[in-house]
Every structure is written in structure tokens, then in C-alpha cells.
């Protein structure tokens, strides 16, 4: 039983629906049964509790009985005594329960009242015959009267309404209860009764008495077996976060990931691990005791097999158990049969044995004495060393390390890293390299074993860390390499580490630090004669200088790098430098940029430098994206991400940027399902790729999805910790502004936009045009607030909102002025569109209906941004309605509504529909209700005067009614609209289209 009684139910929608179908069938007058199977802790009880709650809400009576583990001396009929306790508490509920001594004995908890022999013809007659689905198994031991009585009682209980009978933990049921269940399921057919019985699948060993009964029951009509499989990782993560929130506890993503990985889909294990606050540490005692209780029931030989298997790993071969288990072949076979039949070990597809659950292995390991564990690791390491084909280098490294053979562990770790590299598994390669680095100082001949010194190993590990997207780890490894080299180390090697460190620091947005490192690299290697180290140092310094807008310094370094690269044939360095130059000179015409990038791509591919190749591919995709060619951008991102995946570098810096661009481009193209799929492609991603998942917020917020709030909370939690991750902060702020706008929270929209714009201006001083998108979104929310204030005549509030909006507009215009002055006068397609939106929003903020501004905004987003085009058309329809162009307004509203419906953009769709109702626009798919269906004609008149800010006295005077009567009408309006005040009533009426423009 969970310690959290109100633990959320997650990941069980399908199983719950199947169980409720049985309840619905019973409600239709047909008996039905389900056998719910699942491992201990997988969530059977929680699911049954939810089933009972929902059944009760449908008017179904629920009776629940529990089986209890009492060993070989189980009490007969215990679960049925339990479920009939409500009858015992109210004997008048069913007369038969009171009048029949046999049944009354069971209901009162005295099943011994059953007579030993039942004479023929003396069965209990409850006054209504029971239909038979089939002839039940004959009961000739005097129990037929009781069985028939229980069946009749259940039927009587179901007379007022359908009945749900729940039996929990059937694996502990006594024989009498099993026989009674068999009888009931065979006996009941056309009765409004559903029976649901649960049992632990992992407790059903081959000789368990429940097994033959289950095989018999599932053959009966209307009986279904439902297997409750472990929860998927996403559902476990949702459960863990919800439980932590219920306890008002903060929880780190790393802790959630650890609990998810260790729980392996078991809800009870997840709850226990969370409660203990663990992250990779020992199991909590309560959980360890639960797991070990099943182990301690097995024979000594079986326990020995489990101990060896636990030390060997999650999966173990039969040959290894035979070699190190110290059992004869016959003893081993018998012990293996025992642990497999009792579901402690299972046989995997590859023929190996594995623990049914990883935490069971953890519990067995934790129970071993230290000496015993070391001895077993040493024995296994020796076996694997003698027969390398019996295991992997990674396994040998693990067992050598755990048996304190550190030299052997270092050699095996390096071998495992080589193997991981050859099979394209860079994450595992990094893990093995770092394991070798951890052992370095403890192994005197480490350099001889590694074939390189410590600096070389640190550098190699850093390169792999960059490949898997662990940029901060790569920075730390490279700094360690510099420390080991020292100031007197080889100048060329130090330069190489410096410029590699600079390249990596650029990718974590530490541009100033990167510039210092590239300058240090240049200072260590002379320009003459040209060399590879100097060329790459110059190429990197050009890039870091451009990033700080030191254009002259960057140009000088770039020219040197390009010339030296041509002389030395360093195509990778040439390509890298060419891209840096193009990004630093955005005024170049598009044809020139495209040709230069094509040359850079050809050279990068010729060089075999995939990191530079990915950088060129990203810039080609970005060029298409920034010029509004979204289809071309998607073609390029798809090709590039597929190549990165094939190379095993899916989460390196540029592949991650390409995936983010792909998510965003799909969103703009109106392919929202595909965008969300790409954003959530993998359960785990490096922190520096968090902006990829955060980009999914654009779709979630646009659709009004309930999951948007949780993902926003996740992204907001990351932003302060990854302050230099500009794209993460940008997509989070943009999504949060939209979320606040659709939620009617202009204060939050302004606060978020102001802070985000300030941060962007600091991080990108010359080019912070991204503020246009954030400011435009916040202006929409502020314009709504100002319009609502003017609607009720609140001039002071309207003035405050106008001032706030003007401030945001000023920030946007300042960014444009700086960009045009410092970078280039020409705005990119996206920036120009958002600027048009800002100007249109400003006009609306000041209460001016200017359709041409909205027409210009719509044209700027057409056709490359499907959603923003629809949003602009919605506002254009609103402006056209304000100038009494009803036909034009209807046309624009229709087009916006079609897109919103296709995208599933519920907030936009509802906004368009509210506009159509308010303006009585003819929009297909939008029903415009008559105001009279909600308000009386008099209330409609009162509402119109409320919208003008009139007091009750003024309303009375205008309508020639008393002030008191006007007050009654106002109260009625508030009640009908569910509003707390006059202003809120007007806002609700406007949103629902009840304020008619005449």
C-alpha cells in the first residue's frame, strides 16, 4: 500500500478503460469478470481503488474483499467474509442474509456454520432462479448450499443497481475461496454484477494452486485477463513529480531520472526511493526487507545462485554460474529451476538469466558481506580474463575494479572505450575513458598501459564529451589537461588544448573566456612557418573575436587562417573560418553567402571533420530559415540530423542546434504533431540541449495543453542555472509570455517580457532582435487589458496598461535601431514580421483600429509562419469589425478559424469564435447563439450600459426603471455569467460574444 493515499494514477488509462468496460457491461445487465495480473508494487491496488471510485460515481455499489497471507493455515472464505462485512453491519439490507443460518454465518464471519452434508433438495431458495452460464463444477462436500446462497445474496444486492465485487491478492486465497470464486463466475450470467480479482504474477510459481484455476477461468465467456505491465519511464517520472509536489518538496531532474531508472516501472519502488530521498545510494531498509523476504524463502543453493548472479551483473550466462557458483551441475540446475519458477530470475531472449527487477539485484548485493563480494568479483574477473569471449571488456573492467585489481581495471576500461568507439557508442566511450582517468594515479604504469600520457587521455575524453553534448564536462577535462601540462609544458600541445577549450567555451556561451583562451593559443605558436596548431588557433581566434564584435581583430585572424589552411591543405580549418567570416558580415548578398557555404561544406566533407561539417550544415539550414524558406530549412535539418544520428553524435553542439531548428521550423510550418514528436524524441538529453525539449512548449501553449504548465515549470527551473544558454531562456520566455496572454494574465506577461528583454540585451548587445517576438507577445496581452479597462470606463487602468505597452514597444524599437546601426540596415524576414506585429499591437493598445497595420503583419508572416499568420488574421478581423467592414472581418476570421482548428490551437480557435459571436460574423463551424438564450432582453440592455461603465442609478435612469430594479438585473447578470464583479461580467460577456456590436 502506498504511503500516499492520494497518489496520482498515471500510465494506466488503457487498463482502467478495460476494467470500466466490465462495469458498464454489468450495468447493462450482463455479468462480467476481469483477472488483473501484475507484479508486487506495480500499481494493482491503486488501479482498483480508482476503479471503485469511478464505479461508485456511476451509481455502482462496490464490495471489496482482501486475501491475507496466512501460510498453510488460511482461514476459509476470508475474502468473501471481508467483502460482505457491510451486509453484516446492516442485516436488514437483504432479508436472505438474515433468514438463512448458513449465509448468516458467513456474513457474520462464521463460515463454519456450513453443514457437513447437504441433503438433496434442501438448497436455499431466494425466491428468484439464478440463470446458468454453464454447469458449474459439482460441489459434493456439503458446500453447495453456501455457494448457492452467496450467489443468491449477490444477486439480491444487485437488484437496486449494478454491483462491483473486488477481490484483492487472489494468490493468497484459501482453497475454499478459490472454489467459491470458480462457482460464482460459472454461475452468474444475466446479472448486473462485475467481478474483478487481482493477483501477483510474480508469486505464481509453477506449482502454485492458483495457476490451474486461472487457466480454467479465462476460458469462461465474459472473463478477461488484464496484465498490468510496468509503467513507462515517462509515467514514472510524472508520478514521482506529482508525489513530490503533494509533499511540497522540490525535486531535481537528476533525482527524478535516478528514481525512474531504478524503479523500472514499479510504482511502489518509485515511491519508496523517493521517500528515502535517494540518488544512487543504498536501498531504504523497508524496501530492501520486502525484496529480500522472497530470497530468504529459497533453498541455500538457490540463494547462492542469486548471490553469484547479483555480483555478475543484471544478466548472467549459465556457463559463468557453473564456473564460479561452487555447485554441481545437478545442484545448479535444481537451484536455477527454483529461482526461475519463483520469478526471481527470468530467462532472457538471449538465453541469459536476469533478475526480474534491478532493485532485487541491488538488495541481494547489499546483503553480501564485503569480503564475500570482493571474492566473487575476483573469481568472475579471473574467469573472464581466462576466456575473453565469455564477456566484454566493460564487464572485465567492472569486476577487476570491484576486486581491487586496479591495473587490470584500467587496461580493461581502455579496451572497452576502444570497443565503444568502434560500434558508435560515444556516451559509453566517455564513461570508460573517465573510469580509466579515475584510476590513473593509482596505477604506476598507467601511461604504458594507455599508450599515451594523462594529457592525451584527458584530451581524448574531452573530445568525446563534446561529441555527446556534455560541453561543461569537456571544459572541465580540458582545464585539467592544462593543469597537468603546466606553464612549462610543450607549447604546441598547450596551444592545442587552449584553442580546443576556446571552441568548447563558445558552445556554453562563455565568449569572453573563449576569446582569452584563443588568444593564449595564438601567443604560444609562431605564425611563421605555418603550422596546423597555429592555423587552428587563428581560426578559433577569428571566431571568438567576431563573437565579441571585434571585427578588425577577427578579420586579421581569419585572413591568416584561410591563407595558412590553403597552404597546408587544412580544409576543415578553412571551412570553419569561412563560416565565421560569413556570420560576422551579414550584409553580404544571399547568393555570395550560399556559394561560400557550399564551398565550405565540400571542403569540410573532404577533410572528414564532422564537427565542422555539422557547423556548415547548420548555417545552410539557418540561411534558409532566416529568409523564410521553411521547407528548405526542414529538408536540410532532416538530412543533417539523420547524418549526426548515423555518426553517433546526435547531441553534439551543432546536431542539437539543428534539431532545435527543426522543431521550430516544423512549428512554423504548421506541422505541430511532428514538431512535438521531435522535441520529445528521447527521454534523456544533455542539459545543453534542453532548448530542444523546451521548444515543444510552443506547440503545447498554442494548443492550450495541460502539459504546458509542467514543462514551463521545468524550463523555468533550468534557466537560472543555465543563464548563459540564450536559446533556452528565449524559447522559455516566449512560451511563458504566450501562456500568460492566453491565460488572461497581462501582469505576468509584462514581467516575463521585461526581464527576458533585459537579459537578451546584456547577452547580445548588438543583435538582440529576438526581443521583438517577446515584446509583441506581451503587447497582445497588454492590449487586451487596456481594451477591457476602456470597455468599463476605467481610464486610470487603461492608462497604466498603455504606459506598460509603450515601454515594451520602446525596447523593441531600440533593438531594431541598434541592429540597423551596428550590424546591417536590412532586417531578416522573421525580424521584419515581428516588427510589423509590434506596430500593429501598439495601435490596438492605444485604441486605434488600423486594419492596414494588421494586414501588413499578416503579409509579413505569409506563408512561412502558419500560426502567426492565423493570429494576425484574427486581429485583422477584429480591426475590420471595428471599422464596420463585416464582410472582410468574416473572411479573415474564417481563415484564422480554419487554421486554428487544423492545428488544434484551442485558445486561438476560441478567441476567433468569441469574436465571431460578438460581431455576428458568418464563420463556418461557429454557432452564434442568440443573446436571449442567456440573458433576457432587459438584461441585455443592462449589460450594454454596464459595458459603458454606468452605475446602477445611471442604468435606471437610462432605462426608466428604479435603481433597485437595476441592481436586481445586475445581480442576475453576474449570477448567470459566474462573475464576481461588474468588470469581470463585462469581460466574460465580451469573450462569449454577448456584447453585440450594433
Amino acid at each position: 500500500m502506498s504511503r500516499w493515499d492520494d497518489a496520482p494514477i498515471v500510465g494506466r488509462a488503457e487498463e482502467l478503460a478495460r476494467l470500466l468496460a466490465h462495469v458498464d457491461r454489468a450495468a447493462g445487465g450482463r455479468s462480467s469478470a476481469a483477472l488483473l495480473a501484475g507484479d508486487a508494487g506495480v500499481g494493482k491496488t491503486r488501479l482498483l481503488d480508482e476503479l471503485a471510485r469511478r464505479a461508485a460515481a456511476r451509481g455502482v455499489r462496490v464490495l471489496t474483499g482482501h486475501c491475507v497471507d496466512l501460510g498453510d493455515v488460511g482461514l476459509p472464505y476470508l475474502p468473501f467474509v471481508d467483502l460482505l462485512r457491510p451486509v453484516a453491519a446492516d442485516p436488514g439490507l437483504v432479508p436472505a442474509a438474515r433468514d438463512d443460518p448458513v449465509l448468516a454465518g458467513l456474513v457474520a464471519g462464521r463460515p463454519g456454520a456450513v453443514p457437513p452434508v447437504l441433503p438433496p433438495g434442501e438448497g436455499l431458495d431466494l425466491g428468484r432462479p439464478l440463470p446458468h452460464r454453464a454447469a458449474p463444477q459439482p460441489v459434493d462436500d456439503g458446500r453447495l448450499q453456501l455457494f448457492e446462497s452467496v450467489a443468491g445474496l449477490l444477486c439480491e444486492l444487485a437488484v437496486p443497481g449494478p454491483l462491483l465485487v473486488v477481490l484483492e491478492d487472489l494468490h493468497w486465497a484459501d482453497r475454499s475461496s478459490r472454489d467459491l470464486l470458480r462457482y460464482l463466475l460459472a454461475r452468474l450470467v444475466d446479472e448486473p454484477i462485475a467481478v474483478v480479482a487481482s493477483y501477483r504474477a510474480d508469486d505464481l510459481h509453477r506449482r502454485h494452486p492458483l495457476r490451474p484455476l486461472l487457466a480454467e477461468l479465462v476460458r469462461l465467456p465474459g472473463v478477461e485477463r488484464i496484465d498490468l505491465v510496468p509503467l513507462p519511464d515517462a509515467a514514472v517520472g510524472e508520478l514521482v513529480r506529482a508525489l513530490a509536489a503533494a509533499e511540497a518538496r522540490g525535486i531535481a531532474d537528476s533525482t527524478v531520472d535516478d528514481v525512474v531508472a531504478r524503479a523500472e516501472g514499479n510504482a511502489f519502488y518509485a515511491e519508496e526511493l523517493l521517500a528515502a530521498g535517494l540518488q544512487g545510494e543504498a536501498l531504504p531498509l523497508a524496501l530492501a526487507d520486502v525484496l529480500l523476504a522472497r530470497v530468504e524463502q529459497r533453498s541455500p543453493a538457490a540463494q547462492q545462485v542469486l548471490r553469484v548472479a547479483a555480483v555478475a551483473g543484471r544478466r548472467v550466462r549459465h556457463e559463468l554460474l557453473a564456473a564460479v557458483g561452487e555447485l554441481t551441475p545437478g545442484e545448479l540446475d535444481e537451484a536455477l529451476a527454483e529461482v526461475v519458477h519463483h520469478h526471481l530470475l527470468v530467462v532472457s531472449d538471449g538465453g541469459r538469466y536476469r533478475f526480474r527487477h534491478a532493485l532485487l539485484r541491488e538488495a541481494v548485493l547489499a546483503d553480501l558481506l564485503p569480503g564475500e563480494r570482493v571474492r566473487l568479483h575476483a573469481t568472475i574477473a579471473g574467469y573472464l580474463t581466462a576466456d575473453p569471449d565469455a564477456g566484454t571488456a566493460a564487464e572485465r573492467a567492472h569486476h577487476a575494479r570491484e576486486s581491487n585489481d586496479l591495473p587490470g581495471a584500467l587496461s580493461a576500461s581502455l579496451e572497452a572505450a576502444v570497443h565503444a568507439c568502434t560500434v558508435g557508442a560515444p556516451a559509453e566511450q566517455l564513461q570508460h575513458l573517465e573510469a580509466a582517468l579515475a584510476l590513473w594515479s593509482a596505477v604506476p604504469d598507467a601511461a604504458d598501459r594507455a599508450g599515451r600520457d594523462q594529457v592525451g587521455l584527458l584530451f581524448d575524453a574531452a573530445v568525446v564529451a563534446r561529441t555527446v553534448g556534455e560541453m561543461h564536462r569537456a571544459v572541465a577535462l580540458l582545464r585539467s589537461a592544462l593543469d597537468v601540462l603546466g606553464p612549462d609544458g610543450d607549447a604546441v600541445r598547450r596551444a592545442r588544448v587552449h584553442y580546443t577549450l576556446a571552441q568548447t567555451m563558445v558552445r556554453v556561451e562563455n565568449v569572453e573566456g573563449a576569446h582569452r583562451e584563443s588568444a593564449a593559443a595564438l601567443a604560444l605558436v609562431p605564425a611563421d612557418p605555418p603550422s596546423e596548431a597555429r592555423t587552428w588557433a587563428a581560426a578559433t581566434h577569428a571566431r571568438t573575436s567576431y563573437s565579441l564584435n571585434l571585427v578588425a581583430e577577427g578579420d586579421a585572424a581569419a585572413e591568416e587562417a584561410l591563407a595558412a589552411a590553403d597552404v597546408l591543405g587544412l580544409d576543415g580549418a578553412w571551412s570553419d573560418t569561412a563560416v565565421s567570416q560569413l556570420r560576422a558580415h551579414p550584409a553580404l548578398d544571399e547568393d555570395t553567402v550560399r556559394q561560400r557555404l557550399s564551398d565550405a561544406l565540400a571542403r569540410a566533407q573532404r577533410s572528414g571533420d564532422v564537427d565542422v561539417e555539422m557547423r556548415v550544415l547548420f548555417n545552410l539550414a539557418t540561411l534558409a530559415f532566416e529568409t523564410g524558406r521553411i521547407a528548405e530549412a526542414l529538408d536540410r535539418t532532416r538530412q543533417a540530423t539523420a547524418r549526426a544520428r548515423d555518426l553517433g553524435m546526435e547531441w553534439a553542439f551543432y546536431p542539437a542546434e539543428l534539431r532545435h531548428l527543426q522543431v521550430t521550423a516544423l512549428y512554423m510550418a504548421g506541422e505541430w504533431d511532428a514538431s512535438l514528436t521531435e522535441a520529445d524524441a528521447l527521454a534523456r538529453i544533455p542539459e545543453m540541449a534542453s532548448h530542444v525539449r523546451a521548444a515543444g512548449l510552443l506547440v503545447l501553449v498554442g494548443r492550450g495543453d495541460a502539459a504546458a504548465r509542467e514543462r514551463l515549470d521545468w524550463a523555468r527551473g533550468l534557466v537560472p542555472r543555465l543563464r548563459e544558454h540564450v536559446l533556452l531562456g528565449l524559447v522559455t520566455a516566449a512560451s511563458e509570455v504566450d501562456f500568460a496572454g492566453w491565460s488572461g494574465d497581462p501582469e505576468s506577461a509584462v514581467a516575463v517580457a521585461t526581464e527576458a528583454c533585459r537579459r537578451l540585451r546584456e547577452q547580445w548587445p548588438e543583435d538582440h532582435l529576438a526581443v521583438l517576438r517577446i515584446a509583441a507577445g506581451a503587447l497582445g496581452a497588454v492590449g487586451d487589458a487596456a481594451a477591457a479597462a476602456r470597455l468599463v470606463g476605467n481610464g486610470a487602468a487603461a492608462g497604466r496598461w498603455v504606459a506598460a505597452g509603450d515601454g515594451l514597444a520602446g525596447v523593441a524599437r531600440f533593438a531594431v535601431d541598434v541592429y540597423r546601426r551596428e550590424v546591417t540596415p536590412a532586417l531578416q524576414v522573421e525580424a521584419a514580421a515581428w516588427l510589423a506585429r509590434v506596430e500593429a499591437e501598439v495601435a490596438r493598445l492605444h485604441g486605434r483600429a488600423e486594419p492596414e497595420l494588421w494586414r501588413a503583419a499578416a503579409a509579413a508572416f505569409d506563408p512561412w509562419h502558419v500560426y502567426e499568420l492565423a493570429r494576425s488574421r484574427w486581429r485583422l478581423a477584429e480591426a475590420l469589425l471595428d471599422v464596420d467592414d463585416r464582410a472582410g472581418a468574416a473572411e479573415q476570421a474564417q481563415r484564422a478559424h480554419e487554421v486554428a482548428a487544423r492545428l488544434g490551437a484551442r485558445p486561438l480557435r476560441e478567441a476567433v469564435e468569441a469574436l465571431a459571436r460578438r460581431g455576428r460574423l458568418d464563420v463556418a463551424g461557429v454557432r452564434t447563439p442568440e443573446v436571449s438564450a442567456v440573458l433576457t432582453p432587459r438584461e441585455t440592455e443592462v449589460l450594454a450600459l454596464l459595458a459603458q461603465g454606468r452605475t446602477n442609478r445611471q442604468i435606471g435612469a437610462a432605462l426608466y426603471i428604479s435603481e433597485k430594479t437595476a441592481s436586481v438585473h445586475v445581480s442576475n447578470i453576474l449570477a448567470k455569467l459566474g462573475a464576481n464583479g461588474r468588470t469581470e461580467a463585462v469581460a466574460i460577456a465580451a469573450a462569449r460574444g454577448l456584447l453585440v456590436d450594433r
Side-chain angles (χ1 to χ4, degrees), residues 908-980:
L908 176 59
R909 177 179 56 77
E910 291 177 352
V912 175
E913 290 172 356
L915 175 65
R917 287 193 296 269
R918 176 167 64 85
R920 293 297 186 268
L921 300 177
D922 185 13
V923 175
V926 180
R927 189 177 70 86
T928 304
E930 290 297 326
V931 176
S932 60
V934 181
L935 304 174
T936 67
R938 177 62 82 184
E939 287 167 350
T940 302
E941 293 175 326
V942 172
L943 178 62
L945 294 170
L946 272 180
Q948 297 173 21
R950 302 287 185 90
T951 66
N952 289 347
R953 176 175 295 180
Q954 291 169 332
I955 291 172
L959 299 177
Y960 302 101
I961 59 178
S962 70
E963 181 179 353
K964 183 177 181 180
T965 302
S967 175
V968 171
H969 285 309
V970 170
S971 297
N972 290 339
I973 292 170
L974 266 58
K976 287 183 176 183
L977 299 180
N980 294 320

Side-chain angles (χ1 to χ4, degrees), residues 189-212:
V189 180
D190 293 319
E191 298 293 340
I193 300 174
V195 178
V196 177
S198 70
Y199 63 91
R200 289 184 183 175
D202 50 345
D203 269 11
L204 295 194
H205 54 81
R206 185 163 293 179
R207 296 184 179 85
H208 196 288
L210 185 60
R211 290 178 71 99

Side-chain angles (χ1 to χ4, degrees), residues 580-798:
S580 298
Q581 265 192 331
L582 291 173
R583 299 305 295 175
H585 297 280
L588 294 172
D589 66 272
E590 185 180 339
D591 290 339
T592 300
V593 173
R594 186 183 292 274
Q595 183 58 53
R596 189 76 159 173
L597 286 175
S598 297
D599 294 343
L601 180 61
R603 289 205 183 202
Q605 291 173 336
R606 188 166 64 211
S607 73
D609 192 327
V610 293
D611 192 57
V612 175
E613 178 187 350
M614 287 295 153
R615 187 183 182 202
V616 179
L617 288 171
F618 170 71
N619 278 272
L620 280 166
T622 301
L623 177 65
F625 180 87
E626 290 176 344
T627 51
R629 299 193 305 275
I630 302 300
E632 180 187 336
L634 282 171
D635 285 342
R636 292 194 177 278
T637 57
R638 287 180 178 126
Q639 293 171 15
T641 54
R643 174 153 171 76
R645 189 162 47 247
D646 293 341
L647 292 170
M649 55 185 300
E650 192 170 8
W651 294 111
F653 180 78
Y654 282 109
E657 297 302 293
L658 281 157
R659 184 179 288 276
H660 176 264
L661 188 63
Q662 185 173 351
V663 171
T664 306
L666 286 167
Y667 165 75
M668 290 179 172
E671 298 181 38
W672 280 17
D673 289 338
S675 177
L676 201 55
T677 297
E678 284 297 316
D680 297 340
L682 292 177
R684 299 185 181 194
I685 59 175
E687 270 197 347
M688 290 307 294
S690 299
H691 59 310
V692 175
R693 178 156 298 150
L697 276 165
L698 298 169
V699 173
L700 293 177
V701 172
R703 284 182 166 168
D705 194 307
R709 185 179 296 276
E710 181 180 346
R711 189 169 301 196
L712 265 176
D713 290 342
W714 164 78
R716 275 193 296 246
L718 281 179
V719 169
R721 189 153 47 88
L722 302 176
R723 282 193 62 82
E724 301 304 320
H725 199 324
V726 180
L727 284 179
L728 173 63
L730 176 59
V731 72
T732 301
S735 302
E736 196 169 0
V737 166
D738 271 4
F739 184 84
W742 289 126
S743 303
D745 185 5
E747 292 91 348
S748 294
V750 171
V752 171
T754 301
E755 171 58 22
C757 291
R758 183 195 63 77
R759 190 168 61 246
L760 275 169
R761 182 175 174 180
E762 289 178 356
Q763 292 168 321
W764 291 344
E766 290 79 25
D767 178 6
H768 53 281
L769 290 180
V771 304
L772 290 170
R773 191 255 184 270
I774 295 174
L779 277 167
V782 172
D784 287 340
R790 281 193 291 267
L791 192 64
V792 296
N794 190 340

Side-chain angles (χ1 to χ4, degrees), residues 704-891:
D705 194 307
R709 185 179 296 276
E710 181 180 346
R711 189 169 301 196
L712 265 176
D713 290 342
W714 164 78
R716 275 193 296 246
L718 281 179
V719 169
R721 189 153 47 88
L722 302 176
R723 282 193 62 82
E724 301 304 320
H725 199 324
V726 180
L727 284 179
L728 173 63
L730 176 59
V731 72
T732 301
S735 302
E736 196 169 0
V737 166
D738 271 4
F739 184 84
W742 289 126
S743 303
D745 185 5
E747 292 91 348
S748 294
V750 171
V752 171
T754 301
E755 171 58 22
C757 291
R758 183 195 63 77
R759 190 168 61 246
L760 275 169
R761 182 175 174 180
E762 289 178 356
Q763 292 168 321
W764 291 344
E766 290 79 25
D767 178 6
H768 53 281
L769 290 180
V771 304
L772 290 170
R773 191 255 184 270
I774 295 174
L779 277 167
V782 172
D784 287 340
R790 281 193 291 267
L791 192 64
V792 296
N794 190 340
R800 287 195 299 272
W801 288 121
V802 168
D806 284 342
L808 290 169
V811 169
R813 289 163 177 157
F814 175 80
V816 172
D817 291 343
V818 171
Y819 182 84
R820 284 173 168 162
R821 183 174 64 250
E822 301 292 337
V823 183
T824 176
L827 291 181
Q828 298 161 351
V829 170
E830 185 177 10
W834 285 114
L835 180 58
R837 170 73 63 79
V838 166
E839 298 303 340
E841 290 286 6
V842 169
R844 193 172 72 90
L845 173 71
H846 286 269
R848 301 194 307 271
E850 298 194 24
E852 290 311 310
L853 288 179
W854 284 109
R855 206 180 298 279
F861 284 113
D862 189 12
W864 57 276
H865 202 317
V866 172
Y867 178 61
E868 293 303 337
L869 172 58
R871 282 219 284 195
S872 295
R873 282 176 170 158
W874 161 49
R875 293 300 193 187
L876 172 57
E878 187 178 56
L880 289 170
L881 188 60
D882 285 342
V883 298
D884 205 27
D885 182 356
R886 300 177 59 79
E891 177 190 359

Side-chain angles (χ1 to χ4, degrees), residues 161-190:
L163 178 67
L164 171 62
V165 175
V166 177
L167 297 171
E168 289 200 58
D169 297 324
L170 202 59
H171 53 282
W172 286 329
D174 59 279
R175 177 179 175 180
S176 297
S177 296
R178 295 195 300 270
D179 289 343
L180 178 51
L181 177 63
R182 177 195 291 114
Y183 185 88
L184 291 174
L185 294 188
R187 192 82 162 91
L188 303 172
V189 180
D190 293 319

Side-chain angles (χ1 to χ4, degrees), residues 540-561:
T540 307
H541 193 62
R543 179 177 181 178
T544 62
S545 297
Y546 287 142
S547 296
L548 292 174
N549 204 34
L550 302 173
V551 178
E553 187 175 341
D555 284 343
E559 292 304 323
E560 178 188 339

